[in-house]
Amino acid sequence: MKSQPPILPISLQEAKKPGIREFDIILVTGDAYVDHPSFGTALIGRVLRDAGFTVGIIAQPDWKSNDDFKKLGKPRLFFGVSSGNVDSMVNNYTANLKIRSDDVYSPGGKGGLRPNRASIVYSDKLHSIFPGTPIILGGIEASLRRFAHYDHWSDSVRQSILADAPADMIVFGMGERQVVEIANRLSKGQNIKEIRDLAGTAIKVEISKWRSMEHESYMEIPGFPDVSRDKELYAKAFNLHYQEQDPVRGRPVVQTHPKTIIIQNKPAMPLSTQELDHVYELPFSRKAHPSYNKPIPALAPVKFSVVSHRGCFASCSFCALTHHQGRIIQSRSIESIVREVKRMTKMPDFKGIVQDVGGPTANMYSMHCKRWQGEGACPDKICMGCKSLDASHKNQVELLRRLLEIEGVKKVFIGSGIRYDLVLKDTSGYLSQLCEHHVSGHLKVAPEHIIKHVTDIMHKPGKEMFEDFRKRFDAENKRPGKRQYILPYFMSGHPGCSVEDMVELAEYIRDNNLYTEQVQDFTPTPMTASTCMYYTGIDPFTMEKVHVAKGREKRIQRALLQYRDERNYGFVTEGLKMAGREDLIGSDRKCLIKRGKENRRI
């Protein structure tokens, strides 16, 4: 491992200390700079520095001026641009399109420090100041907007972000391997326009050049002009590119735009266990840059957390992980995670609590299918419930046991959520160990809904599995005499869900004492199957019509999940009348609304 500085420089003055006269690469991000592996810019910066390149960071530049974009000078190789850990539109607006007043990725939680569509805005600035210098987009915003996509905030289909931004390339998915390869090629004198074949990247080519290329090896999907006016073609295009998001069997995907052609190369191969170990054992300080005089709120809940794996094979319709991290689970070794936690125990502010050990789904650690390496994930079925999947929790049980044995560690919690349908099949004692040692009062699970046709569309397990898990969880907690609870997450407004379905869910919540203020109103974010359904009213996998709640009905559905909140009484009453369930308005203990309060409005 090459020697690395305590923290990557954000100014020319800091660059002088390690003797940097010119940066090879400058990373521009919409987040504050936090040197922690959960922050994408820090992770990519550390990986590039480890590969021998000098890296500077411009964090949350003032986009209304040129000064911040010029402060590190011109990089020798390229600018890397990211909106930050979250899509800038998701970050700046609520599901109801109201401007957020805060931003957990900014000092003091202050909102308004990143522009809307940050990747495009930053690229425009850099291109105008440093024409001819390669610009490479990365991160969630660019990754999930690489094709024509429905944009909830403008209520329209937008072009690929690469067609809108003056950038040369998108690195999509987890980009460590790609950015190092790009840096190596550019350092050897190759022109950015010549890098056409790199897995895990999307590029644009001139229409005339595309016409002269051989097309046999590409999957061409309906173009922007077609999908922006024909919802059925939009759904078809989504299904076609969804099927190619596998690093083994995926083909390059092409989509025409009015002035350019977008080509997504096949996804990059996942990192091996050894590569993943190396990345997460780079010397992150786990601190915000010392120049900030206010804390970065997003750091607190993850500061002493550990990433154990990547990927998720659940294929939930409302999640974009299939397009970003992929379905193949990539796990670190137990030894590597133990070493990372041992280093954490040496930090002066470590209090003995490991906040989380997990990934997109905590209990998928070390799970694998023998087909993944040679054939990739199956194109015609979901991995959940497949007999070919090794869904044993044995290695995670061992991992958690080893972490508890480390001197200085008092508690190791699972904070990133689990799939309870996987737990129900486990025979290794995982649930028992989880309840005894790794639940911090509440265990997060996400049934999302209890109506079968809704959970089927979501690709979530049904009510019966959730109830089975609740019974087993309660039984396990009686043994050590603990009072621990399930914290369920439910979703309103998802495609396929009607007001009648939400009333039934509200009754289920009431009858099972599951009421919580932590509910989620479905937000159509780029490149999910659910967003495709929201826009088109069509399930892209079956091409059947799907009910979609919008406008007032969507607000009513959310209110039904929070039926106890007096501010929602008017909407709840309206929903009960729509569903023909006025019997739930009255004085009986089963009623959702007390008689006499049903006419209240927000």
Side-chain angles (χ1 to χ4, degrees):
M1 186 180 298
K2 299 178 177 66
S3 176
Q4 292 212 29
I7 203 159
L8 300 176
I10 65 171
S11 68
L12 291 176
Q13 184 176 2
E14 287 181 357
K16 291 179 181 178
K17 296 177 183 178
I20 299 172
R21 297 182 179 180
E22 175 189 44
F23 290 107
D24 295 322
I25 298 140
I26 296 174
L27 303 179
V28 182
T29 175
D31 291 341
Y33 174 35
V34 179
D35 187 42
H36 188 285
S38 293
F39 290 71
T41 297
L43 189 70
I44 292 298
R46 284 286 184 186
V47 166
L48 285 166
R49 183 66 188 87
D50 180 65
F53 298 98
T54 56
V55 182
I57 292 179
I58 300 176
Q60 295 190 318
D62 178 3
W63 70 94
K64 298 171 185 176
S65 166
N66 290 344
D67 294 347
D68 283 351
F69 296 92
K70 296 164 64 175
K71 66 181 183 180
L72 297 186
K74 177 181 176 180
R76 184 174 69 90
L77 300 178
F78 66 86
F79 283 105
V81 173
S82 166
S83 71
N85 270 16
V86 182
D87 183 284
S88 60
M89 302 305 289
V90 175
N91 191 82
N92 290 352
Y93 294 88
T94 68
N96 292 323
L97 305 181
K98 294 181 179 178
I99 297 175
R100 298 185 192 272
S101 59
D102 59 350
D103 182 347
V104 297
Y105 292 97
S106 298
K110 182 179 179 181
L113 297 185
R114 83 183 75 215
N116 293 341
R117 312 194 191 284
S119 298
I120 297 174
V121 173
Y122 294 159
S123 299
D124 281 337
K125 276 289 185 182
L126 294 169
H127 181 67
S128 66
I129 300 169
F130 303 100
T133 301
I135 298 173
I136 298 171
L137 304 181
I140 286 287
E141 181 167 279
S143 182
L144 300 184
R145 293 176 181 265
R146 58 188 184 266
F147 295 112
H149 56 280
Y150 172 71
D151 180 79
H152 178 53
W153 300 269
S154 63
D155 191 25
S156 66
V157 176
R158 290 182 63 94
Q159 297 189 114
S160 162
I161 196 171
L162 199 52
D164 282 338
D168 298 282
M169 181 183 292
I170 295 172
V171 167
F172 67 87
M174 309 305 284
E176 296 93 351
R177 179 175 283 127
Q178 299 96 295
V179 293
V180 171
E181 178 65 16
I182 292 166
N184 282 328
R185 292 193 190 188
L186 293 178
S187 190
K188 292 176 181 178
Q190 190 170 3
N191 189 289
I192 189 68
K193 303 292 185 185
E194 298 171 348
I195 303 177
R196 301 284 187 191
D197 60 343
L198 184 59
T201 64
I203 61 173
K204 55 188 175 186
V205 300
E206 299 83 359
I207 295 174
S208 59
K209 185 175 181 63
W210 167 246
R211 288 172 179 164
S212 66
M213 294 170 60
E214 293 185 3
H215 300 171
E216 287 78 8
S217 60
Y218 295 92
M219 164 59 73
E220 187 167 359
I221 64 176
F224 172 77
D226 296 322
V227 301
S228 60
R229 62 173 177 258
D230 187 322
K231 292 183 177 181
E232 189 170 320
L233 284 178
Y234 184 101
K236 179 181 179 182
F238 179 88
N239 187 22
L240 288 172
H241 67 66
Y242 183 94
Q243 300 302 330
E244 304 301 333
Q245 303 310 313
D246 184 89
V248 179
R249 57 174 173 77
R251 293 171 291 175
V253 180
V254 175
Q255 188 175 51
T256 59
H257 285 62
K259 295 182 179 180
T260 191
I261 305 294
I262 303 299
I263 301 177
Q264 179 212 270
N265 290 310
K266 64 188 302 181
M269 288 298 294
L271 298 184
S272 67
T273 294
Q274 293 75 22
E275 290 171 321
L276 210 56
D277 286 351
H278 182 80
V279 166
Y280 283 100
E281 289 193 72
L282 292 172
F284 297 95
S285 65
R286 294 180 176 266
K287 298 178 181 178
H289 191 275
S291 63
Y292 299 122
N293 54 22
K294 293 182 178 179
I296 314 301
L299 175 60
V302 300
K303 184 171 184 178
F304 297 112
S305 67
V306 179
V307 173
S308 60
H309 63 286
R310 291 177 175 176
C312 181
F313 51 75
S315 302
C316 296
S317 298
F318 47 82
C319 179
L321 268 165
T322 298
H323 279 84
H324 193 65
Q325 289 193 12
R327 291 163 58 190
I328 297 174
I329 303 300
Q330 310 130 61
S331 300
R332 295 172 62 189
S333 69
I334 291 177
E335 290 72 20
S336 172
I337 297 171
V338 167
R339 288 193 295 268
E340 183 177 353
V341 172
K342 284 183 175 179
R343 285 194 297 274
M344 283 167 34
T345 65
K346 308 301 181 185
M347 296 178 66
D349 53 344
F350 181 72
K351 306 299 183 183
I353 308 298
V354 178
Q355 295 163 299
D356 183 29
V357 181
T361 301
N363 60 321
M364 286 186 185
Y365 173 74
S366 194
M367 293 184 180
H368 67 278
C369 173
K370 59 185 178 182
R371 296 183 179 179
W372 283 347
Q373 186 170 1
E375 303 171 43
C378 295
D380 56 346
K381 58 184 176 181
I382 295 174
C383 299
M384 297 294 297
C386 179
K387 294 180 179 179
S388 297
L389 178 73
D390 180 357
S392 171
H393 290 66
K394 180 180 178 181
N395 287 336
Q396 193 185 33
V397 168
E398 174 65 12
L399 167 64
L400 295 173
R401 184 189 66 78
R402 290 276 303 276
L403 295 181
L404 283 173
E405 293 174 350
I406 296 173
E407 184 178 355
V409 172
K410 300 175 183 177
K411 296 286 185 180
V412 177
F413 291 129
I414 300 296
S416 50
I418 64 169
R419 282 289 299 222
Y420 51 84
D421 45 345
L422 290 172
V423 176
L424 292 175
K425 300 175 183 179
D426 178 65
T427 59
S428 66
Y430 175 74
L431 184 58
S432 177
Q433 179 165 333
L434 186 73
C435 292
E436 186 172 355
H437 297 294
H438 307 295
V439 178
S440 178
H442 293 85
L443 177 67
K444 297 177 184 176
V445 295
E448 307 296 1
H449 219 289
I450 51 91
I451 306 299
K452 186 178 187 307
H453 67 259
V454 180
T455 54
D456 284 350
I457 286 175
M458 290 177 165
H459 291 167
K460 295 288 291 186
K463 178 177 69 174
E464 293 75 15
M465 282 194 178
F466 178 53
E467 291 180 336
D468 191 2
F469 177 75
R470 286 178 59 210
K471 290 176 183 176
R472 296 194 191 186
F473 180 83
D474 290 342
E476 286 291 346
N477 280 292
K478 287 178 181 177
R479 294 176 185 173
K482 292 188 175 183
R483 299 186 66 183
Q484 298 182 144
Y485 306 94
I486 286 176
L487 182 62
Y489 286 84
F490 293 106
M491 184 182 292
S492 64
H494 190 275
C497 180
S498 66
V499 170
E500 290 81 4
D501 297 328
M502 291 307 299
V503 172
E504 191 169 340
L505 175 57
E507 289 190 281
Y508 181 83
I509 291 170
R510 175 204 64 200
D511 294 343
N512 290 276
N513 196 29
L514 295 173
Y515 187 89
T516 173
E517 295 297 332
Q518 299 190 44
V519 302
Q520 183 177 354
D521 187 18
F522 170 69
T523 302
T525 53
M527 211 173 279
T528 70
S530 298
T531 297
C532 177
M533 293 183 227
Y534 179 87
Y535 170 61
T536 65
I538 299 170
D539 184 331
F541 305 121
T542 65
M543 296 305 288
E544 295 178 356
K545 291 186 178 180
V546 175
H547 172 75
V548 176
K550 294 187 178 182
R552 192 169 187 84
E553 184 192 341
K554 200 163 186 289
R555 296 185 70 182
I556 289 170
Q557 287 202 22
R558 179 181 176 88
L560 282 163
L561 272 186
Q562 297 176 306
Y563 60 85
R564 291 183 186 174
D565 190 334
E566 292 190 3
R567 295 173 299 174
N568 291 335
Y569 280 179
F571 283 127
V572 173
T573 302
E574 189 174 343
L576 294 176
K577 290 180 177 179
M578 287 174 63
R581 295 300 310 275
E582 292 180 64
D583 59 299
L584 295 176
I585 304 172
S587 57
D588 187 87
R589 65 184 183 85
K590 290 284 189 178
C591 291
L592 300 182
I593 296 289
K594 297 297 182 184
R595 181 72 66 186
K597 295 184 178 182
E598 65 267 28
N599 293 319
R600 295 192 181 190
R601 301 289 184 190
I602 295 176

